């Protein structure tokens, strides 16, 4: 059909009368197009655009065509014919593909729900009443009882996450495995998954106002596993036993039990939230992750603040250490099997909304990149109908007819303080500078350059290095608006994609002291949850950390350079190499 329509179009142009005819024909074919490959479908879209382009009198239709093709390539989407077994970690292969290939199913384009349909109000899991819990449990029980070949079944739902996190599909226009973590695909893809999951649950109990709960782990009252997940159909036995209530969550978890009292743990959690939501998240890329595009040249690995922690850290905290990949929650291929996954992601999704509201006044936090907006995925709705949905369809949750219960944001006031008064710290650091100049042979002597050379530097021990700041006197305007100073830990390579966590500090005077997010020197953390071992090359990751506010608080924002310390927090950091650290400015 592709050929047919193309030919028809050329003929039409030659004869000069056929634009309307072509348009009519192509549009009417579109009605019958369900069931043919999506390549053909996309082609129809391109063609329609092209024809419409001509009809409004564009000078160069060829140009338009080239642009449209490039655009189509950079848009991210799965190739539904490519689902295959995946290898989430060495020695483990899993097959999560749907029983019937999605490419053989007809699909429809997403339609917004009727604006007058009931608003689904997602409430905090620790605040809902018994009736709600009974209702939710009932819906999940029914979902679990559906046969596997029903796309609404609990296991099919869980496997969706497995497919898109382990690279089981290839991208539409290349051989690159598609995965939805570690980039700006993270928030919108998970929003889509939850949205359809919620609609299915609601329809199974005949309640079109049913809403998922969210695990409000950024609020002290929500910082334990909510009761509803501890019994009934919402239980998962593959969770860390010692983390069941009343254990307070460790949002900065590194697979080690720190043995802190609840108050101390809550204080650290709040400070981490502040860094990840406020001071470290002042640009869209810092919060959302790197701009992953379709095609060979387009993909990137650079997760945003919330994805790294608490998102990744809580996956690991919830899964059990008795399983090699901390399944269920601790590995992405299995995470969707734990009902708490949906509450965890409810909160992640909610924080995306919170962040947009917080940033709105100062920064333009909306992504306007059309390739992101046009990126699309496929999900089954409550009628088992396959639906094609674009990121632009999920940026406004009111249009999706759901909302979040307003809860307090206590971390807004949890701005951490320096561990040492800045004046004293500066004196100590100056001494270190002198030492460093006088005796470069000291065993503790830092690397002279923040570029670690062609082979990078292994993170088998703490790395401390001085990093030059290209702009030390930034105008007030630059500081107050838009331009954010960003530390980039670049070229991070994790061999075998193992579990890894390391923390980054600025101007820390004594790394041997127990320093964590509760101190202002903490700039951020890198947490790698394995997504799989693939034959094709992976990109190295970049960790980007917003540090403007931190530098002000440490009174270091006039300095020519800063000291940066990378501290490995997991044994597997021996598997990590880093190419270097530099400062950038992002608008
Ligand atoms: Cu797709 Cu919480 O992970």
């Amino acid at each position: 059909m592709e050929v047919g329509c193309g030919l028809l179009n050329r003929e039409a142009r030659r004869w000069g009368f056929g634009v309307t005819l072509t348009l009519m024909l192509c549009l009417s074919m579109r009605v019958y197009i369900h069931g043919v490959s999506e390549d053909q479908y996309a082609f129809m879209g391109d063609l329609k655009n092209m024809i419409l382009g001509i009809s409004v009198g564009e000078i160069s239709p060829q140009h338009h065509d080239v642009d449209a093709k490039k655009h189509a390539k950079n848009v991210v989407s799965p190739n539904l014919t490519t689902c295959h077994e995946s290898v989430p970690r060495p020695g483990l292969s899993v097959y999560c593909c749907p029983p019937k290939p999605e490419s053989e199913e007809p699909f429809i384009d997403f339609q917004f729900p009727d604006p007058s349909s009931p608003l689904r109000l997602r409430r905090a899991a620790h605040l809902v009443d018994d009736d709600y819990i009974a209702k939710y449990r009932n819906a999940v029980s029914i979902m679990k009882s559906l046969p596997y070949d029903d796309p609404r079944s609990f296991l099919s739902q869980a496997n969706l996450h497995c497919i898109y996190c382990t690279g089981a599909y290839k991208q539409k226009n290349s051989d690159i495995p598609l995965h939805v973590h570690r980039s700006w695909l993270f928030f919108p893809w998970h929003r889509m998954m939850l949205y359809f999951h919620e609609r299915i649950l609601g329809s199974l109990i005949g309640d079109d106002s049913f809403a998922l709960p969210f695990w409000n782990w950024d609020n002290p009252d929500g910082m334990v596993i909510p009761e509803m997940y501890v019994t009934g159909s919402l239980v998962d036995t593959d969770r860390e036993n010692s983390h069941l209530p009343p254990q307070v969550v460790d949002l900065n978890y590194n697979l080690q039990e720190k043995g802190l009292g609840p108050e101390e743990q809550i204080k650290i959690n709040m400070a981490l939230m502040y860094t990840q939501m406020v001071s470290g998240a002042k640009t869209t890329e810092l919060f959302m992750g790197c701009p992953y595009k379709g095609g060979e040249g387009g993909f990137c690995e650079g997760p945003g603040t919330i994805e790294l922690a608490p998102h990744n850290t809580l996956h690991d905290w919830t899964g059990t250490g008795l399983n090699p990949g901390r399944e269920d929650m601790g590995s992405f291929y299995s995470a969707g099997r734990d009902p708490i996954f949906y509450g965890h992601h409810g909160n992640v999704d909610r924080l995306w909304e919170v962040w947009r509201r917080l940033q709105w006044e100062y920064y333009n936090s909306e992504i306007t990149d059309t390739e992101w907006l046009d990126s699309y995925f496929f999900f089954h709705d409550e009628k088992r109908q396959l639906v094609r949905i674009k990121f632009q369809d999920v940026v406004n949750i009111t249009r999706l007819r759901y909302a979040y219960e307003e809860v307090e944001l206590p971390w807004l006031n949890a701005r951490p303080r320096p561990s040492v008064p800045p004046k004293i710290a500066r004196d100590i650091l100056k001494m270190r500078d002198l030492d460093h100049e006088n005796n470069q042979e000291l065993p503790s002597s830092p690397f002279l350059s923040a570029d670690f050379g062609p082979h990078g530097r292994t993170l088998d021990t703490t790395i401390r290095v001085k990093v030059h700041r290209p702009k030390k006197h930034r105008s007030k305007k630059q500081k107050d608006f838009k331009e954010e100073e960003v530390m980039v830990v670049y070229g991070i390579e994790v061999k075998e994609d193992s579990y890894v966590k390391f923390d980054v500090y600025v101007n820390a005077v004594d790394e041997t002291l127990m320093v964590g997010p509760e101190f202002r020197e903490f700039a951020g953390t890198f947490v790698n949850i394995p997504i799989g071992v693939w034959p094709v090359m992976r990109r190295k990751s970049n960790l980007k950390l917003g540090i403007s506010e931190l530098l002000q608080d440490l009174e270091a924002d006039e300095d020519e350079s800063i000291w940066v310390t990378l501290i490995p927090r997991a044994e597997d950091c021996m598997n990590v190499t880093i190419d270097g650290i530099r400062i950038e400015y992002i608008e």
Side-chain angles (χ1 to χ4, degrees):
M1 196 174 67
E2 182 168 334
V3 173
C5 214
L7 264 182
L8 182 55
N9 185 40
R10 268 200 300 275
E11 284 297 290
R13 267 196 263 166
R14 188 188 316 155
W15 291 99
F17 70 89
V19 168
T20 324
L21 175 70
T22 315
L23 180 60
M24 275 168 55
L25 270 169
C26 289
L27 286 182
S28 65
M29 275 185 223
R30 203 181 140 152
V31 176
Y32 297 104
I33 205 154
H34 300 151
V36 301
S37 89
E38 37 161 336
D39 279 299
Q40 288 165 316
Y41 190 99
F43 171 76
M44 302 305 289
D46 284 353
L47 183 61
K48 195 183 75 184
N49 286 342
M50 204 173 86
I51 294 166
L52 293 176
I54 295 167
S55 71
V56 295
E58 276 199 8
I59 306 160
S60 167
Q62 278 95 344
H63 239 111
H64 190 125
D65 198 23
V66 171
D67 283 353
K69 279 209 180 107
K70 189 173 158 266
H71 178 84
K73 274 216 141 150
N74 292 339
V75 161
V76 178
S77 64
N79 178 344
L80 297 184
T81 64
T82 57
C83 203
H84 58 275
E85 197 177 59
S86 32
V87 184
R89 64 168 173 269
L92 174 72
S93 40
V94 292
Y95 186 79
C96 308
C97 301
K100 180 181 172 200
E102 290 179 325
S103 54
E104 289 169 12
E105 279 184 62
F107 66 86
I108 56 169
D109 271 319
F110 178 70
Q111 298 280 325
F112 285 101
D114 192 310
S116 65
S117 61
L119 192 69
R120 300 167 189 267
L121 184 65
R122 295 186 183 170
R123 299 196 56 207
H126 68 282
L127 294 176
V128 295
D129 58 23
D130 291 348
D131 285 351
Y132 173 84
I133 296 176
K135 191 163 76 172
Y136 182 29
R137 283 184 178 159
N138 181 30
V140 171
S141 302
I142 300 174
M143 192 179 242
K144 285 184 173 173
S145 71
L146 296 174
Y148 177 62
D149 63 2
D150 187 326
R152 302 169 306 168
S153 70
F154 192 77
L155 195 53
S156 293
Q157 294 282 300
N159 275 353
L160 266 178
H161 191 252
C162 172
I163 290 171
Y164 284 102
C165 75
T166 59
Y169 276 136
K170 288 178 180 172
Q171 290 184 15
K172 190 160 134 41
N173 291 304
S174 73
D175 276 339
I176 309 277
L178 174 57
H179 74 98
V180 295
H181 296 94
R182 307 177 182 173
S183 76
W184 70 359
L185 307 183
F186 173 74
F187 283 104
W189 186 87
H190 288 83
R191 172 168 289 179
M192 289 172 169
M193 182 187 177
L194 249 60
Y195 172 74
F196 286 103
H197 187 74
E198 179 175 75
R199 272 174 54 162
I200 293 169
L201 285 169
S203 91
L204 291 176
I205 52 169
D207 178 352
D208 62 358
S209 68
F210 173 80
L212 285 167
F214 61 89
W215 178 9
N216 193 191
W217 36 250
D218 56 309
N219 190 311
D221 298 335
M223 285 183 189
V224 287
I225 291 183
E227 276 302 318
M228 71 160 75
Y229 298 106
V230 186
T231 52
S233 64
L234 302 176
V235 165
D236 183 336
T237 47
D238 281 3
R239 288 185 196 140
E240 182 67 37
N241 251 319
S242 62
H243 292 168
L244 296 176
Q247 182 60 43
V248 173
V249 299
D250 178 359
L251 300 186
N252 194 33
Y253 190 57
N254 62 339
L255 312 193
Q256 277 157 32
E257 306 309 320
K258 303 186 182 94
L260 303 172
E263 265 167 45
E264 211 177 339
Q265 184 65 63
I266 288 171
K267 192 173 162 235
I268 295 172
N269 288 345
M270 299 281 250
L272 178 72
M273 281 308 299
Y274 180 86
T275 300
Q276 304 299 75
M277 284 295 288
V278 184
S279 61
K282 293 197 171 170
T283 76
T284 306
E285 182 175 349
L286 291 173
F287 182 78
M288 300 288 292
C290 66
Y292 183 115
K293 299 281 180 89
E296 309 274 334
F299 70 98
C300 64
E301 301 220 352
T305 50
I306 288 294
E307 184 183 346
L308 289 163
H311 168 262
N312 284 354
T313 45
L314 268 191
H315 266 283
D316 282 319
W317 184 86
T318 310
T320 169
L322 296 177
N323 292 334
R326 298 192 74 87
E327 290 89 345
D328 285 325
M329 275 287 274
S331 283
F332 289 146
Y333 80 90
S334 54
R337 296 178 199 160
D338 188 336
I340 207 171
F341 170 87
Y342 305 88
H344 179 41
H345 273 277
N347 206 38
V348 168
D349 188 63
R350 176 186 144 262
L351 290 173
W352 181 14
E353 280 304 288
V354 171
W355 175 81
R356 287 176 65 220
R357 248 184 305 155
L358 292 177
Q359 297 300 313
W360 185 244
E361 280 177 53
Y362 301 106
Y363 301 92
N364 183 2
S365 55
E366 304 297 337
I367 297 180
T368 51
D369 188 311
T370 54
E371 287 156 356
W372 182 84
L373 291 166
D374 286 344
S375 288
Y376 58 87
F377 290 86
F378 297 85
F379 291 87
H380 285 95
D381 69 8
E382 67 281 8
K383 299 191 187 98
R384 280 178 276 193
Q385 168 69 57
L386 193 61
V387 178
R388 179 171 82 153
I389 181 167
K390 297 178 172 180
F391 283 173
Q392 60 187 266
D393 298 327
V394 299
V395 288
N396 181 339
I397 62 171
T398 315
R399 287 195 80 189
L400 296 174
R401 301 305 296 151
Y402 75 87
Y404 286 103
E405 172 182 33
E406 291 287 336
V407 290
E408 275 177 45
L409 307 174
W411 40 262
L412 276 177
N413 302 317
R415 185 165 173 165
R417 302 238 178 99
S419 66
V420 176
K423 301 248 162 2
I424 297 175
R426 291 169 65 86
D427 288 342
I428 300 174
L429 293 171
K430 252 185 224 142
M431 301 263 287
R432 187 192 285 172
D433 283 353
L434 281 176
D435 258 13
H436 171 204
E437 273 157 35
N438 296 339
N439 190 357
Q440 311 212 339
E441 297 309 311
L442 275 178
S444 63
S445 141
F447 283 80
L448 299 181
S449 163
D451 180 343
F452 300 152
H455 306 296
R457 163 108 169 91
T458 306
L459 190 57
D460 45 5
T461 172
T462 294
I463 295 180
R464 187 212 274 167
V465 66
K466 210 167 171 185
V467 181
H468 175 71
R469 294 174 63 226
K471 299 184 195 175
K472 60 175 175 150
H473 292 293
R474 297 197 300 144
S475 70
K476 181 139 177 48
K477 195 162 159 268
Q478 283 171 327
K479 272 192 230 166
D480 285 355
F481 299 98
K482 301 221 157 128
E483 201 183 72
E484 173 70 10
E485 186 156 344
V486 174
M487 184 205 311
V488 189
V489 181
Y490 59 89
I492 304 169
E493 189 173 358
V494 183
K495 270 186 232 114
E496 305 257 278
D497 198 38
S498 47
Y499 168 81
V500 151
K501 183 181 193 295
F502 67 85
D503 294 347
V504 184
Y505 297 87
V506 172
N507 285 357
V509 293
D510 186 354
E511 296 87 3
T512 57
L513 289 177
M514 177 67 182
V515 273
E518 68 275 31
F519 295 115
R520 188 77 269 207
E521 289 88 344
F522 175 90
T525 185
F526 181 83
V527 186
N528 195 66
I529 295 194
I531 55 174
V533 194
W534 303 330
V536 271
M537 216 196 77
R538 275 275 249 304
R539 287 283 119 101
K540 293 177 176 178
S541 287
N542 288 335
L543 171 65
K544 296 197 175 185
L545 304 169
I547 54 170
S548 291
E549 191 187 291
L550 174 152
L551 292 179
Q552 275 173 40
D553 290 357
L554 296 178
E555 297 174 20
D557 55 344
E558 307 271 287
D559 293 353
E560 234 165 66
S561 52
I562 52 174
W563 286 94
V564 174
T565 312
L566 308 181
I567 305 185
R569 296 293 191 200
E571 274 169 40
D572 271 0
C573 283
M574 304 203 309
N575 289 338
V576 178
T577 55
I578 292 166
D579 289 344
I581 303 171
R582 62 167 181 261
I583 303 286
E584 272 176 9
Y585 300 87
I586 306 190
E587 297 227 339

